[in-house]
Amino acid sequence: MKRFFLVLLLPVVASVLFLAGCDQVKERPVLRIGYMNCNSEQETMQRFSPISRYLSEKVGVTFESVPVDTHEFEERFQAGEFALTHTNSLLYIVLKEDAGLKLLAADKRGHYGSRTAGTLIARKDSGIETLEDIRGKRLVFGPVMAPTGYLAQYDLMLQAGIDPERDLGYYAIPSGSFKHEKLIYGVYFGDFDVAAAPALDLELMTRDGKITADDFVILAQSQVIPYCTFGAAPDLDPEIFAKVKQALLELTPADTVEIDGERIKVLKSAWVDGFEELLDSDYDPIREMARRVNMPPYQTY
Amino acid sequence: MLKLSLTSLLWTLLIVATAAMATLLLDASGEDTQLRPASFNKAMERDLAFQARAAFLQKIYAPVEAQLKAGNPQSALLKLDEVGRNYPGEAHGFILRGEILRGMGVLDQAIANYVRALKLDGDYLEEAGPLSRRTEIRQLVDQGLSELTPRARSNPDNRSLATTIRELHYLQSRLAGGCE
């Protein structure tokens, strides 16, 4: 009799456990991370899919990677599309001021850790030796929303009494991808006299042997300011927020995830050395620059 | 008479024993003089290696120092990148990077670089010597403690600040003579 009941109970227990498992899978939240495109959607996905997978494993939430163009980021974030964002530091400020984005952690890469600087460079043999010499010259900027490829240099010129709109011969912004490298090569090959180069790109290109320190003269350099930043939507569950932050700060170069059957190093894939916990006040120098240059989110007409 | 001769005998024995001991001591010191050149050479080799290393480092990092002296810290960092391609992970590179970053006000990274250097090579803490950076490290610790400790106290949950303070304390302990 007892055996009969046991045989009857076994499938019932198995079914309950199975359904409970299904419920758990069903209940696991799916959240989206908006990653600001640098060069292309394909590159963005390759770089950041491992980090989304890593966060999913650590936090117990399924994170989906979404590549986003800079100009449409704010609208899509305000529409509630993303729980997390990965943007440059100026866009972080825009999203914070306009939509309450919360600071999570900043990327670390290069000499200055979670910070970098904007430089104005010229070829060493160009005869341009000081910032004053750039009046009437051809200058190439990085993308308009780049903190150390546009904003910092525009501000440097204004601070030095040079109005880029009136005092330069002309200025341009390269099209397509790899804009920062393009503008450094633009000066190197003589298409432009001066370039607004991020210190980080000079560093990376020197390290790779693409340029040498003797090729250029650094005419001016901004103070160091935060670099790319992870942020969270204001309504994100505080428990998830805390877990994401901890997972990012604990991420080491040895951490790997499996993508399409391949073991990938998370940090190396993302071109990042690690993450750092900054204070929102660390971004104040960028806010001051944006106000002086009349850029979002403080732009007035 | 017998008493006197006994005393003389004792004196004679004492003199003989003393002479024998002196001979033994002289023999022993004779062995030392034979060993001395070997230990002397060892010390000389060590000093020569140290001097040669210091001279070599000063030579290969001269372009970095030159940029620093000319007031171009960013170019100095780029020169460091160039040197680093041939000598990655060299302690002297971390020392110079720490020095440049401190000058630029990037204290947390300056501290991290000095820590990496000292973990690789403690010679930089020697009071006298061509590589000594003891004074600079002491100044960095003082600056770090006055600027970063209040910031860390106001943000006790900030893990990155806590890491920097731990590194600062590491430098402080090495200055005080603490080992790894």
Side-chain angles (χ1 to χ4, degrees):
Chain A
M1 191 65 176
K2 268 183 186 171
R3 190 174 289 172
F4 173 74
F5 272 115
L6 270 174
V7 169
L8 210 67
L9 265 172
L10 206 64
V12 175
V13 171
S15 308
V16 168
L17 285 173
F18 177 74
L19 286 171
C22 280
D23 271 359
Q24 271 189 342
V25 170
K26 217 185 207 174
E27 276 174 13
R28 186 173 154 123
V30 177
L31 299 174
R32 306 177 94 196
I33 308 178
Y35 290 102
M36 193 183 93
N37 275 328
C38 282
N39 295 310
S40 70
E41 286 194 3
Q42 192 188 9
E43 182 197 85
T44 303
M45 292 302 281
Q46 271 177 353
R47 274 180 74 181
F48 296 113
S49 293
I51 215 165
S52 295
R53 176 68 56 87
Y54 165 82
L55 289 174
S56 301
E57 288 174 6
K58 291 286 176 184
V59 180
V61 166
T62 301
F63 284 111
E64 286 179 358
S65 307
V66 184
V68 189
D69 282 336
T70 313
H71 67 272
E72 57 184 37
F73 217 120
E74 185 174 2
E75 194 183 326
R76 291 176 69 175
F77 180 70
Q78 289 203 344
E81 207 177 318
F82 312 119
L84 302 180
T85 60
H86 182 265
T87 64
N88 71 32
S89 47
L90 179 59
L91 201 45
Y92 157 75
I93 291 171
V94 171
L95 298 178
K96 179 172 177 62
E97 305 291 317
D98 294 349
L101 184 72
K102 286 158 72 179
L103 177 60
L104 263 170
D107 295 16
K108 282 171 73 173
R109 194 180 181 199
H111 291 307
Y112 303 111
S114 59
R115 296 168 171 86
T116 185
T119 71
L120 282 164
I121 58 165
R123 257 187 82 111
K124 213 157 215 173
D125 56 4
S126 66
I128 302 170
E129 284 169 7
T130 67
L131 203 49
E132 201 51 36
D133 297 337
I134 73 171
R135 291 178 190 274
K137 297 288 191 287
R138 306 163 298 167
L139 184 143
V140 60
F141 277 115
V144 175
M145 286 296 282
T148 57
Y150 182 94
L151 173 67
Q153 289 88 347
Y154 204 105
D155 183 50
L156 275 172
M157 285 186 268
L158 290 181
Q159 301 270 60
I162 297 166
D163 183 349
E165 306 300 332
R166 286 184 305 184
D167 298 332
L168 297 172
Y170 70 87
Y171 70 75
I173 293 169
S175 58
S177 54
F178 296 100
K179 289 187 176 74
H180 299 306
E181 281 205 7
K182 275 180 185 166
L183 61 88
I184 293 168
Y185 282 131
V187 166
Y188 185 82
F189 288 111
D191 289 337
F192 293 90
D193 304 305
V194 184
L200 180 62
D201 289 79
L202 290 175
E203 181 184 328
L204 296 173
M205 289 174 77
T206 305
R207 211 175 283 171
D208 290 346
K210 292 176 178 172
I211 56 171
T212 71
D214 293 325
D215 291 333
F216 302 101
V217 56
I218 295 167
L219 305 166
Q221 179 164 336
S222 74
Q223 69 180 108
V224 292
I225 52 177
Y227 178 57
C228 286
T229 301
F230 261 108
D235 58 352
L236 181 69
D237 179 347
E239 198 182 330
I240 294 176
F241 180 93
K243 281 183 178 173
V244 169
K245 188 175 200 172
Q246 185 176 352
L248 287 173
L249 295 175
E250 288 175 354
L251 190 49
T252 71
D255 286 313
T256 61
V257 290
E258 194 170 308
I259 303 259
D260 299 329
E262 197 183 341
R263 275 272 141 204
I264 293 172
K265 287 186 172 172
V266 179
L267 285 177
K268 191 177 176 191
S269 164
W271 307 349
V272 173
D273 297 334
F275 288 94
E276 192 172 335
E277 189 173 4
L278 292 183
L279 307 176
D280 180 64
S281 58
D282 291 327
Y283 294 75
D284 285 349
I286 307 174
R287 292 185 170 98
E288 288 158 22
M289 286 178 189
R291 285 194 178 96
R292 287 194 292 263
V293 175
N294 194 26
M295 278 190 71
Y298 310 110
Q299 200 169 24
T300 54
Y301 298 98
Chain B
M1 185 73 183
L2 188 66
K3 264 187 183 176
L4 272 174
S5 41
L6 254 176
T7 312
S8 307
L9 189 66
L10 282 171
W11 274 109
T12 312
L13 276 172
L14 190 65
I15 289 163
V16 168
T18 310
M21 275 175 73
T23 313
L24 278 171
L25 280 169
L26 275 174
D27 271 4
S29 63
E31 277 172 21
D32 247 6
T33 49
Q34 277 174 351
L35 282 173
R36 196 179 289 157
S39 56
F40 178 70
N41 284 347
K42 214 172 177 183
M44 191 177 210
E45 276 169 21
R46 193 191 57 221
D47 287 352
L48 268 174
F50 182 73
Q51 297 289 341
R53 177 177 148 75
F56 182 66
L57 289 175
Q58 275 158 3
K59 187 184 166 192
I60 60 169
Y61 286 103
V64 181
E65 303 268 15
Q67 289 293 343
L68 250 185
K69 275 186 191 141
N72 304 321
Q74 181 60 50
S75 298
L77 284 172
L78 296 180
K79 279 284 172 197
L80 259 184
D81 287 323
E82 282 179 15
V83 177
R85 292 176 68 196
N86 288 327
Y87 306 99
E90 167 55 50
H92 201 69
F94 293 124
I95 284 284
L96 288 176
R97 190 177 302 152
E99 214 166 295
I100 298 165
L101 292 171
R102 185 190 161 213
M104 297 176 89
V106 190
L107 277 192
D108 58 341
Q109 294 304 308
I111 291 164
N113 276 283
Y114 274 108
V115 167
R116 287 185 79 176
L118 290 190
K119 283 186 173 174
L120 289 167
D121 190 344
D123 285 342
Y124 293 99
L125 283 168
E126 294 294 326
E127 195 79 61
L131 296 178
S132 177
R133 292 295 196 281
R134 197 176 174 84
T135 308
E136 289 84 348
I137 294 169
R138 189 180 291 121
Q139 287 167 350
L140 176 66
V141 167
D142 291 343
Q143 188 182 357
L145 287 174
S146 67
E147 289 180 25
L148 297 175
T149 309
R151 193 171 143 90
R153 279 202 192 115
S154 327
N155 300 280
D157 298 331
N158 190 303
R159 274 165 278 198
S160 300
L161 276 171
T163 302
T164 302
I165 295 297
R166 265 200 306 278
E167 290 176 330
L168 204 54
H169 288 158
Y170 171 81
L171 292 180
Q172 205 174 18
S173 80
R174 293 298 303 268
L175 280 169
C179 296
E180 282 287 307

